[in-house]
Amino acid sequence: MRLFTVGPVEMFDEIKKVRADENSVPYFRTQEFSDLMLDTDGLLKKFAKTSVSSQTIYLTASGTAAMEAAIQNCFTDSDKLLVINGGTFGQRFVDICEIHNIPHDVISVPYGETLSERHFVPFQNEKYTALLVNIDETSTGQLYDIGLISDFCKSRGMYLIVDAISSFLCDQFDMDKYGIDAMIASSQKGACISPGLSMVILSERLVQERVLTNHFASLYFNFKSYIENFKRGQTPFTPAVGICIELNAALHMIDRIGLDNHLKHIADVAADFRKKAEDLPVHIPDFPLSNAITPIIFDEPIAFKVFELLKNKYGIFVNPTGGALHEKALRIAHIGQTDVDDNTMLISYLKKAIEEIREV
Ligand SMILES: *Cc1c(COP(=O)(O)O)cnc(C)c1O
């Protein structure tokens, strides 16, 4: 089995070894586990380029839970939010606002358009508390311009909430420079480890002005108890202990390689794939792309057939695409243990699959 998917991803051998070595998951209410979590936290903040005064919430839950919890801990029906919706994950933020009756306006980015200044124009004169964005809208692969978004928020004193689940540790990211107040990450995507753990890093001002002062009725998802417990490197409830250990190993691996080298490898593999894909009967959208993933759009409506054939006959997994592009688009991830030789292999199987489908 070979994964070219964005999450879970093809894991590094080094991380697989950490998983295998955990012949039993350790007990966690110990100084040793606290030390491991505090060590993880230092590296996480270093890579997110944020000050030690920011606060990380380690949630044992998938990325969507972290998105929902972040919104619920920070905003209420007295706020007004602005949501950038350019695909499935933007729509998820909209759904969260709707379910929890949080007033919001939506900047729609239709498929194929690049988010630009003109999308903000109709919202110029309205007052908003915060902006929500998925910086890599994984369903399309578009990487939005963080500078543009950050300027809009800074000039209006808005909080900026960034879902960086498929972008953090794949693309450049700088929490403090861009005034990001909450950044959401998840184990199975950018961190390239097992699913089950999500991280929300909160700016000091968001913690002080919102999280600690509001009244959010939830036991499991209330960030106040996570903040209190993390003073000693602990979580209020049993965390996904094994995945916390994987995360620590993954961050040390990146630290050893160097974050910039790690990001450059992903960018190089992505660029190599995009070049080699010129030999296929597909095109790649011209909006800015995250290094994490490349959408390929087929000339013929065979994308899902290609996905199934690669999976069933060759044990190769790529990401299918939901919605209107189901028969037209596949997405190829460039994160985890993968290199340019894997691209050569994948391209040859894609060619083979396309020919086999055309023959029937
Ligand atoms: C995968 C993903 C999510 C949701 O993740 P789950 O872990 O499936 O809940 C949210 N946002 C983005 C941008 C993603 O790529």
Side-chain angles (χ1 to χ4, degrees):
M1 182 179 81
R2 182 64 178 75
L3 301 184
F4 289 93
T5 50
V6 77
V9 312
E10 186 70 35
M11 278 193 225
F12 293 99
D13 287 339
E14 191 171 331
I15 303 300
K16 287 187 191 160
K17 196 166 171 315
V18 170
R19 281 166 62 83
D21 285 352
E22 282 171 35
N23 42 20
S24 67
V25 173
Y27 178 66
F28 70 102
R29 296 291 187 206
T30 60
Q31 190 58 49
E32 289 75 11
F33 189 72
S34 294
D35 290 346
L36 177 126
M37 290 303 287
L38 293 167
D39 177 55
T40 293
D41 203 50
L43 288 172
L44 196 72
K45 286 174 182 167
K46 174 175 160 185
F47 297 156
K49 302 204 167 79
T50 191
S51 125
V52 289
S53 64
S54 295
Q55 177 75 52
T56 316
I57 309 296
Y58 292 86
L59 267 189
T60 291
S62 91
T64 306
M67 293 164 74
E68 186 167 26
I71 302 308
Q72 286 190 281
N73 274 275
C74 298
F75 307 112
T76 67
D77 59 6
S78 332
D79 288 299
K80 186 159 187 194
L81 309 184
L82 186 59
V83 188
I84 296 177
N85 182 358
T88 313
F89 295 108
Q91 183 60 42
R92 195 159 299 178
F93 266 140
V94 174
D95 293 343
I96 290 168
C97 292
E98 278 172 7
I99 285 175
H100 300 294
N101 293 313
I102 301 173
H104 58 281
D105 282 339
V106 179
I107 298 184
S108 286
V109 186
Y111 185 78
E113 283 183 19
T114 302
L115 178 76
S116 62
E117 231 151 274
R118 71 181 174 84
H119 291 97
F120 289 86
V121 171
F123 307 93
Q124 221 63 277
N125 300 318
E126 195 64 39
K127 226 178 138 24
Y128 299 100
T129 321
L131 184 141
L132 315 181
V133 64
N134 322 88
I135 199 65
D136 168 23
E137 171 50 79
T138 322
S139 66
T140 65
Q142 180 164 172
L143 182 71
Y144 298 130
D145 179 348
I146 185 66
L148 174 73
I149 296 166
S150 168
D151 288 348
F152 184 85
C153 293
K154 278 185 180 168
S155 64
R156 287 166 179 74
M158 293 162 64
Y159 297 113
L160 173 53
I161 310 300
V162 174
D163 163 3
I165 289 176
S166 61
S167 180
F168 180 55
L169 303 177
C170 310
D171 302 303
Q172 292 288 347
F173 187 84
D174 194 325
M175 182 157 169
D176 289 0
K177 175 177 168 194
Y178 293 111
I180 295 167
D181 291 290
M183 91 81 123
I184 303 164
S186 202
S187 55
Q188 83 278 19
K189 300 255 178 91
C192 301
I193 56 176
S194 305
L197 186 69
S198 295
M199 289 74 71
V200 183
I201 309 184
L202 305 164
S203 70
E204 196 175 2
R205 75 162 181 163
L206 195 65
V207 170
Q208 296 301 332
E209 296 170 13
R210 293 280 165 153
V211 176
L212 293 181
T213 45
N214 76 1
H215 300 283
F216 169 42
S218 170
L219 185 73
Y220 191 81
F221 291 105
N222 198 315
F223 287 176
K224 290 187 196 74
S225 59
Y226 288 82
I227 292 172
E228 189 52 37
N229 276 271
F230 207 72
K231 287 179 183 157
R232 55 186 179 107
Q234 288 283 325
T235 51
F237 312 105
T238 310
V241 175
I243 307 172
C244 292
I245 295 170
E246 288 178 30
L247 179 61
N248 186 264
L251 297 179
H252 275 289
M253 188 192 78
I254 294 170
D255 201 37
R256 205 179 59 234
I257 298 166
L259 178 64
D260 286 340
N261 294 332
H262 174 79
L263 297 179
K264 185 174 181 302
H265 174 77
I266 301 170
D268 288 348
V269 173
D272 175 75
F273 176 82
R274 290 163 194 173
K275 181 94 195 62
K276 287 174 179 160
E278 287 170 8
D279 289 350
L280 299 173
V282 303
H283 71 272
I284 294 171
D286 59 7
F287 47 71
L289 294 173
S290 165
N291 293 328
I293 200 162
T294 303
I296 53 173
I297 318 294
F298 288 78
D299 300 336
E300 307 142 81
I302 57 171
F304 194 71
K305 286 198 187 101
V306 171
F307 162 77
E308 293 237 283
L309 196 125
L310 286 178
K311 172 171 77 71
N312 297 337
K313 191 161 174 191
Y314 300 115
I316 294 173
F317 289 73
V318 297
N319 281 105
T321 298
L325 289 173
H326 188 67
E327 304 299 335
K328 291 290 262 184
L330 292 176
R331 293 166 303 142
I332 313 300
H334 311 297
I335 57 178
Q337 182 140 318
T338 186
D339 61 20
V340 295
D341 294 333
D342 294 313
N343 285 343
T344 305
M345 179 275 279
L346 176 61
I347 294 279
S348 76
Y349 279 103
L350 278 164
K351 276 187 190 157
K352 229 188 261 194
I354 293 165
E355 276 163 25
E356 288 173 31
I357 287 163
R358 280 178 175 163
E359 276 161 15
V360 285

